[in-house]
Amino acid sequence: MRKVYGFSMRSMASGGAFHVAYYHATQQGLSGEAHELAFAYFGGSSGLLRYDNLKSAVKKILRRSPRGKRRSD
């Protein structure tokens, strides 16, 4: 059994949803490719984006940072 990481985007205008899964939670995959696929699915980007629960992506980026996490919020 393999662990998968999911990316979901919901259109606030239409209520439609886009989902894609990856075997690796990389910044390139989740931040770049997944957004491009979702925007293509919805036919373009909207004027407003609202992000929810990016905790896992932020943790992974901070672990790679040479400075590390400076403080807890």
Side-chain angles (χ1 to χ4, degrees):
M1 186 180 267
R2 293 179 71 173
K3 184 174 184 175
V4 294
Y5 300 88
F7 173 88
S8 298
M9 182 182 283
R10 180 171 297 277
S11 169
M12 293 172 62
S14 70
F18 172 83
H19 308 282
V20 66
Y22 292 92
Y23 287 119
H24 303 285
T26 64
Q27 184 177 4
Q28 178 182 357
L30 292 177
S31 295
E33 180 183 334
H35 279 83
E36 289 178 23
L37 292 171
F39 290 140
Y41 175 81
F42 289 121
S45 64
S46 64
L48 174 67
L49 296 176
R50 184 178 75 190
Y51 289 95
D52 183 32
N53 199 16
L54 283 177
K55 185 178 181 180
S56 61
V58 172
K59 276 185 178 179
K60 189 160 188 82
I61 292 166
L62 287 174
R63 272 191 236 129
R64 292 184 186 167
S65 171
R67 294 184 304 171
K69 191 172 181 180
R70 297 186 140 245
R71 63 181 181 150
S72 273
D73 290 325

